[in-house]
Amino acid sequence: MSTSPDAVTLPEKLRSRSREALFALAFQFLLGMAANLIGEPDSSVAAVVGTIVISLHILVGIGIIVVAVRVLRNAREAVLGQREALWALVIMAVTFLAGVGTMIMGSEWLSYLMSAGFLAGAALYVRIYVVSIRAAMGPAVPSGVAPQS
């Protein structure tokens, strides 16, 4: 049974996209922690650094939404992890809106919602990554059974 080259690369593309999402979430987490550590700046240098960190945090947040859409598109193409990818997109959108609310209202609860969204999104992207690895490996051969040629 022969498979087309495109079918073989679909799980790999999905794995690559989920890895991209995980790296973006990790960078976003570090930027958020840096913003929290800087806090309200006391000097002009700290104000500039704080503005740069918050600006990067916002831009990476937008990028995470874009990556979430790309993961969903790849999941639909590969017919793998579609439900997880859809939920990840929804969670990332809600998390982004919680971030906007945190900036506008200064609510600690919305900040907490951002951290919960980060964890839920990361778990979903790890799940998509694992599903794509399993799909790329093919069907498992039960132990003690010789593969057929």
Side-chain angles (χ1 to χ4, degrees):
M1 181 162 109
S2 162
T3 59
S4 70
D6 290 336
V8 174
T9 62
L10 289 176
E12 186 177 315
K13 284 171 50 177
L14 181 59
R15 186 170 55 249
S16 174
R17 290 290 174 251
S18 60
R19 190 172 42 240
E20 182 180 339
L22 287 167
F23 281 129
L25 283 172
F27 188 54
Q28 183 75 332
F29 175 78
L30 292 175
L31 287 171
M33 288 292 100
N36 281 335
L37 288 173
I38 292 171
E40 293 296 320
D42 295 335
S43 68
S44 59
V45 172
V48 169
V49 171
T51 301
I52 290 170
V53 168
I54 290 295
S55 298
L56 285 173
H57 191 67
I58 292 167
L59 288 174
V60 172
I62 293 167
I64 287 172
I65 300 298
V66 171
V67 170
V69 170
R70 294 173 70 185
V71 169
L72 179 58
R73 190 180 73 221
N74 286 130
R76 287 184 174 164
E77 287 175 7
V79 192
L80 294 169
Q82 296 176 68
R83 184 177 305 162
E84 292 90 343
L86 178 61
W87 274 109
L89 174 60
V90 169
I91 288 170
M92 291 299 99
V94 169
T95 302
F96 182 82
L97 293 175
V100 171
T102 300
M103 293 296 296
I104 293 171
M105 296 185 284
S107 169
E108 299 299 325
W109 283 106
L110 290 175
S111 181
Y112 176 78
L113 186 60
M114 273 195 301
S115 65
F118 160 78
L119 286 175
L124 287 166
Y125 287 125
V126 167
R127 169 80 177 134
I128 294 167
Y129 186 82
V130 169
V131 166
S132 65
I133 287 176
R134 287 184 179 162
M137 291 172 49
V141 176
S143 62
V145 177
Q148 297 178 356
S149 317

